[in-house]
Amino acid sequence: MVLSPACERNKQPLLALLQAWLPERARVLEIGSGSGQHAAYFGANIPALNWQASERQEGLAILRGQLAGLARQELAPAADLPTPIRLDVTAAEQWPGGRFDAVFSANTCHIMPAAALPQLLAGVRQVLEPGGLLLLYGPFHDGGVHTAASNLSFDTHLRNLDPAMGVRDALELKQQALAVGLEPLDDVAMPANNRTLIFSAGPWQSSRMLP
């Protein structure tokens, strides 16, 4: 498996967060699965998890190849990793049918164009069960105020590579989410100056205690 160093660094704190927030027997859609490391790691550590990985067309074959070699015995009891699907968040026809208990995406908001974020949120609202969760992990700023100098440098680097990329404004993202019916629930500080923004598709209740 081709490994992403970022995934290796953040997979354990993200696992702890998912274990705290996901309901039992959760069906989760991952947007932008990349190397498939998160899918493989969470599938091996969360019982009864159904984790639907996805990627844009240009990365889909690699993702499928990465996960195809994952032996059934490597998964947690009753966990399942269906064949990854094609998903470009800007293509309305590619959003999957059915409903999910949660949608998860790591380090994608700063890569996709800012104009795609409302489409991402609208698509998520469409596929979430009532009360389902959206979890967005990565670097964010608040109205231009970065949580660390390294995030400001990263933002500058991204915009130099492509003006359409850049660290996103969490405050603006929360307003965009509210506009499509996603309620901000929490803003969790994560290692390396990252955050996980958590939203709910309507009133959220869980038998688990809040983290």
Side-chain angles (χ1 to χ4, degrees), residues 72-155:
R72 172 60 54 180
Q73 59 266 27
E74 295 181 57
L75 294 177
D80 189 27
L81 297 181
T83 300
I85 60 173
R86 178 182 63 160
L87 178 56
D88 180 335
V89 301
T90 67
E93 72 280 2
Q94 291 183 20
W95 284 90
R99 292 296 187 98
F100 295 86
D101 300 297
V103 176
F104 169 86
S105 195
N107 289 326
T108 58
C109 290
H110 57 267
I111 299 300
M112 66 179 67
L117 292 178
Q119 293 168 287
L120 163 70
L121 296 169
V124 167
R125 184 66 182 85
Q126 170 187 316
V127 302
L128 277 180
E129 292 280 5
L133 298 175
L134 167 63
L135 304 101
L136 295 176
Y137 167 86
F140 298 95
H141 65 76
D142 296 298
V145 179
H146 290 270
T147 57
S150 59
N151 282 0
L152 174 58
S153 297
F154 183 53
D155 185 39

Side-chain angles (χ1 to χ4, degrees), residues 155-163:
D155 185 39
T156 301
H157 170 70
L158 289 171
R159 295 178 189 278
N160 286 337
L161 290 175
D162 184 343

